[in-house]
Amino acid sequence: MNLTGYSDRWSVRPGETMTFHVHSVAPTYEARLVRLIHGDENPRGPGFKEIELDSSLDGVHAGAPRIIRKGSCGVVDCPIPAGSFTLDMWIWPTLPGPDRQGLMAWPSGDGGAAFGLFLAADGHVECVGAGLYPLRSARPVVLRQWYRVRLAVDRAAGRASLTVQPKRWSPEAGGVDRVEGALSGAIADADGRLLFAAGALEAAEDGPRPIEVYNGKIARPRLLDAEDAPIAAWDFAARAGTTTLVGVDGAPDGRTINRPARMMTGPDWPGATNSTAPLPETHDAIHFHDDDVSDVGWPVSHTFAIPDDLKSGVYALRLRSGEAEDYLPFFVCPPRGGAGAKRLAVLMPTMSYLAYANESLEVGDAVGMSPLQDMGITPERYAYVAENGLKSLYDVHRDGSGIAYGSRRRPIIDFRPKARCRTFDAPHQFAADLHLIDWLTTRGYAFDVITDDLLHHEGASALDPHTVVVSGSHPEYWTTRMLDARDDWLDRGGRFLYLGGNGFYWVTGVAEDEPDVIEVRRYAGTRTWAGDPGEETVSVTGERGGLWRDRGRPPNDRLGVAFTGQGFDRGAAYHRSEASFAPEFSWIFQGVDDAVVGAGRSLVLGHGAAGFEVDKADVMNGTPPHAVVLASTRGFTDAYQAAIECFAQINPWQGGSDPRSGIQSDILFMHGPEGGAVFSAGSIIWSATLSASGHDSDTSRITGNVIDAFLGGPLPGAPKP
């Protein structure tokens, strides 16, 4: 990509300051502050809408190209011992090659490798460095198996030995593999740093770049003296939710670069306990990858203090250089403390934006399930993502393990207006949520924008100034703090419109030491990858990951509906229930006379208000008995498949055309405590229908009726206190 960047924050308030970090191949670029209204260029809708604003950011600026320093490793200040010593560690390799990979090495002062243990491209363990004839194991390692590796250097005898011992015998691994050799001279001086999972740190303008990065796990690295007494060791299980490498036995602490996966099972897993909960003796490994990226570390290009009079909304720094264009979005939230806050707020699902950031799933072979797919959308952007290790939490690393950490301090090609999902050639996540922003703006509603980030860090106080809160289209990723804040607000009379699908689904953690980083562990539910047994704990919080449903907090409990299935060919209409015509609920359908609603035009999947991913009521999974289903779909095509967790066993009814699949979308209403209420649409693409018929579709009328009533006084049929 010739022009891109990122901001250090997505959520800001008036008076706060944020920074932008820009990569530009051209020597100059033009910047302009814009307010985003509608991000979908589909000619069947209102079209792209932005408002140019005057600001200190505007103008032509000097640009410079920036690199992305991918690959994770650990680094600690620890020089090569002066006497005899032994390197001792456990390794679990996953992907040797294409070049050698550092295991435990001291880099030289010029950035190369001075001395250390490496995994050769062909899978043999070897020791290389000045002053040593290369030692090389007789056999290559077996992938995804634990080995104890020891390199003993006897300076007095002028010899060294390399021992590679598999934890489990197999014909391929054999038994103990031991080779010896003579020292050829003095061991070269290093720069005083010891690296884990890299051979060297190459100097770069934006900071050191790991090279010869290892793919696999490392556990229990130690440095021993001639008598096998510890000189230094590092406990990879300690402070596993941070970037700190805890030194023991007199060793200094170190740090990780680019957030490798921690709280991973080690050589003593599963151990003596039947529990999968992490223990220091069973979860003492770190999984490093040569395509890990957390903070690309680009220098600040712009600093922007949010003006006091900049109203709450969705904004972006627009970048242009020749034919290249990019947007760096951010959200201006209302002033802290509720001053001037609107009664209506939109909760933008920034955790979900981050989880899907640069989603690069290859769906070319799934045309039967996704007939609208277009894998040719912005190919240069997806090539940039793949080349630089910028993929999403839906993708896998080069070694096939799932990507568990996502960071906002990097370019994100789909957190952009005009972005289109390749699976169905339409907006998803951020660009899709601008459908709602456009509708609210066109209809003249006064509203604030708040975010998941704000909700996580500030709790219920972020919701308190607002009587009514409307969700985005796909609020899938929620932290414990967010759920607690939502429930607290609802219990005190909050009124919530859930205008999405597959929401409140995945347990999500936020790193305390790097709040720009989120983590998700997948081992159950409908997913694109699954972690290995025992690795379901979110390292940054220590809580069990997976689905909120499996943690006893199903979405049904507070929203009435939960994920039931997904499809990518077309949407469907809703058929009103008998209850929807009763006086206590008919106000929701004022101005809508038909018994079928949501059958019209949609900017996602062509038509129908129910589609993509859909939710339904289910008393067995927590839908309260007082919740009322107002309308339901009556079937989808077989391009829709049921959510995995909805069935306890193998079944033949996965396709949406079979009622036994359970794939259904429900419109639901329920009263809440203290005069509160919830309206759930149960579909990701509900908001994509709002602009049809001049922003006066039947779904538009229903949404307007609910918002107007929620902003008003007591609701019809509300239970007496």
Side-chain angles (χ1 to χ4, degrees):
M1 291 177 65
N2 292 328
L3 184 66
T4 190
Y6 63 94
S7 61
D8 71 324
R9 303 173 65 182
W10 287 359
S11 308
V12 289
R13 297 184 187 274
E16 296 179 344
T17 299
M18 63 185 301
T19 60
F20 298 93
H21 310 250
V22 177
H23 152 79
S24 175
V25 172
T28 62
Y29 62 90
E30 179 188 7
R32 185 68 184 262
L33 178 66
V34 297
R35 186 177 184 193
L36 298 174
I37 306 298
H38 195 260
D40 189 351
E41 296 178 292
N42 190 331
R44 301 176 73 231
F48 182 73
K49 298 180 184 180
E50 67 180 5
I51 300 172
E52 294 185 343
L53 302 172
D54 294 331
S55 78
S56 60
L57 297 168
D58 303 341
V60 177
H61 303 272
R66 301 296 175 190
I67 65 168
I68 293 177
R69 297 164 291 121
K70 66 180 179 179
S72 59
C73 67
V75 58
V76 61
D77 291 332
C78 180
I80 298 177
S84 297
F85 64 92
T86 296
L87 291 176
D88 185 13
M89 65 191 308
W90 286 83
I91 66 170
W92 192 80
T94 57
L95 187 66
D99 302 309
R100 72 180 186 183
Q101 300 175 0
L103 298 173
M104 198 169 175
W106 284 278
S108 63
D110 61 6
F115 189 90
L117 283 164
F118 292 82
L119 185 66
D122 59 5
H124 291 257
V125 177
E126 58 185 21
C127 176
V128 296
L132 175 70
Y133 289 117
L135 296 177
R136 177 178 167 88
S137 64
R139 293 182 295 273
V141 296
V142 177
L143 301 186
R144 299 175 63 86
Q145 298 294 322
W146 281 106
Y147 290 82
R148 187 176 184 182
V149 179
R150 288 171 60 91
L151 172 67
V153 177
D154 187 337
R155 290 184 189 264
R159 297 191 64 79
S161 64
L162 172 65
T163 304
V164 180
Q165 181 174 1
K167 178 185 175 183
R168 293 189 178 93
W169 179 90
S170 71
E172 297 81 12
V176 177
D177 190 343
R178 189 173 189 274
V179 292
E180 293 188 42
L183 297 178
S184 61
I187 295 175
D189 290 334
D191 67 3
R193 295 176 296 176
L194 177 61
L195 303 182
F196 305 114
L201 290 175
E202 183 179 73
E205 183 178 354
D206 300 334
R209 181 173 71 92
I211 59 175
E212 299 179 327
V213 176
Y214 165 70
N215 285 298
K217 297 182 191 178
I218 293 177
R220 304 174 192 172
R222 300 189 301 163
L223 190 57
L224 310 173
D225 65 15
E227 305 300 324
D228 257 8
I231 300 173
W234 290 270
D235 182 356
F236 283 0
R239 298 189 66 184
T242 72
T243 60
T244 299
L245 298 176
V246 174
V248 295
D249 294 327
D253 289 349
R255 63 185 176 91
T256 61
I257 294 173
N258 274 332
R259 207 91 199 187
R262 302 194 62 175
M263 208 169 283
M264 309 299 277
T265 55
D268 281 350
W269 164 261
T273 176
N274 291 325
S275 172
T276 61
L279 298 172
E281 62 270 24
T282 59
H283 287 70
D284 56 350
I286 299 178
H287 195 151
F288 298 90
H289 306 89
D290 63 7
D291 54 357
D292 278 325
V293 174
S294 60
D295 183 351
V296 301
W298 292 349
V300 173
S301 303
H302 307 277
T303 300
F304 183 49
I306 309 302
D308 291 338
D309 60 352
L310 192 63
K311 69 177 183 179
S312 181
V314 184
Y315 295 85
L317 180 63
R318 188 186 68 199
L319 309 174
R320 286 177 175 170
S321 178
E323 295 183 357
E325 179 184 77
D326 202 9
Y327 288 80
L328 310 183
F330 62 97
F331 307 97
V332 174
C333 303
R336 192 180 300 274
K342 308 297 189 298
R343 296 179 61 206
L344 173 65
V346 178
L347 178 59
M348 304 296 279
T350 49
M351 295 291 179
S352 294
Y353 300 161
L354 193 48
Y356 279 92
N358 299 325
E359 178 265 297
S360 300
L361 293 175
E362 293 291 341
V363 296
D365 293 335
V367 67
M369 304 292 292
S370 309
L372 303 177
Q373 68 176 254
D374 182 355
M375 299 303 291
I377 292 175
T378 56
E380 74 288 349
R381 292 180 175 238
Y382 283 98
Y384 181 81
V385 165
E387 177 185 354
N388 289 289
L390 301 176
K391 292 184 177 181
S392 76
L393 301 190
Y394 283 77
D395 300 296
V396 296
H397 290 288
R398 201 172 68 86
D399 70 354
S401 59
I403 298 175
Y405 301 87
S407 170
R408 66 170 53 90
R409 287 183 177 263
R410 56 185 178 142
I412 298 175
I413 65 171
D414 47 9
F415 177 52
R416 300 290 191 264
K418 305 181 184 180
R420 301 180 75 79
C421 178
R422 297 187 298 178
T423 304
F424 47 84
D425 190 19
H428 179 218
Q429 288 292 345
F430 174 69
D433 287 336
L434 292 177
H435 291 147
L436 175 63
I437 297 298
D438 170 67
W439 180 82
L440 289 168
T441 303
T442 302
R443 293 286 297 262
Y445 284 101
F447 65 95
D448 284 325
V449 167
I450 55 177
T451 65
D452 286 355
D453 302 326
L454 211 65
L455 186 58
H456 173 80
H457 292 292
E458 299 184 7
S461 64
L463 301 174
D464 284 343
H466 315 289
T467 306
V468 182
V469 173
V470 185
S471 81
S473 60
H474 198 175
E476 187 174 0
Y477 291 82
W478 279 60
T479 68
T480 299
R481 293 181 189 174
M482 290 167 60
L483 288 181
D484 290 345
R486 179 203 68 185
D487 293 352
D488 178 29
W489 178 75
L490 287 173
D491 286 342
R492 291 183 286 108
R495 295 176 175 182
F496 192 79
L497 283 84
Y498 170 33
L499 300 187
N502 189 18
F504 319 94
Y505 191 71
W506 289 107
V507 177
T508 306
V510 176
E512 293 293 333
D513 61 334
E514 289 184 322
D516 301 301
V517 173
I518 66 169
E519 180 184 358
V520 174
R521 296 295 177 105
R522 305 186 195 273
Y523 63 91
T526 302
R527 58 200 185 275
T528 56
W529 58 265
D532 286 340
E535 295 181 348
E536 66 270 19
T537 299
V538 179
S539 69
V540 298
T541 61
E543 63 186 321
R544 186 186 183 197
L547 303 186
W548 279 115
R549 162 182 169 147
D550 295 336
R551 289 271 304 275
R553 302 187 77 167
N556 315 66
D557 183 44
R558 300 311 299 257
L559 287 309
V561 296
F563 182 46
T564 180
Q566 62 183 9
F568 310 103
D569 62 342
R570 62 190 187 193
Y574 294 92
H575 297 257
R576 291 177 59 179
S577 67
E578 184 177 345
S580 74
F581 294 93
E584 59 267 40
F585 305 113
S586 60
W587 56 271
I588 295 173
F589 297 88
Q590 184 178 353
V592 178
D593 299 326
D594 294 338
V596 176
V597 298
R601 175 181 296 178
S602 173
L603 296 181
V604 179
L605 303 187
H607 75 274
F612 182 1
E613 292 181 347
V614 295
D615 299 8
K616 72 171 182 178
D618 185 352
V619 175
M620 294 294 292
N621 279 304
T623 299
H626 66 277
V628 177
V629 173
L630 302 174
S632 302
T633 56
R634 292 182 180 175
F636 291 91
T637 69
D638 285 340
Y640 280 76
Q641 295 288 295
I644 294 172
E645 65 274 10
C646 292
F647 288 94
Q649 58 187 358
I650 296 173
N651 69 88
W653 313 304
Q654 286 289 114
S657 66
D658 193 321
R660 292 170 294 182
S661 70
I663 303 173
Q664 180 175 304
S665 179
D666 291 335
I667 299 175
L668 178 144
F669 173 84
M670 61 181 177
H671 291 287
E674 305 295 328
V678 167
F679 173 86
S680 293
S683 165
I684 284 182
I685 67 173
W686 177 272
S687 293
T689 68
L690 296 180
S691 63
S693 303
H695 296 80
D696 193 31
S697 62
D698 51 8
T699 52
S700 171
R701 295 177 190 177
I702 292 169
T703 305
N705 291 339
V706 175
I707 290 177
D708 293 343
F710 276 19
L711 288 170
L715 298 172
K720 295 181 180 180

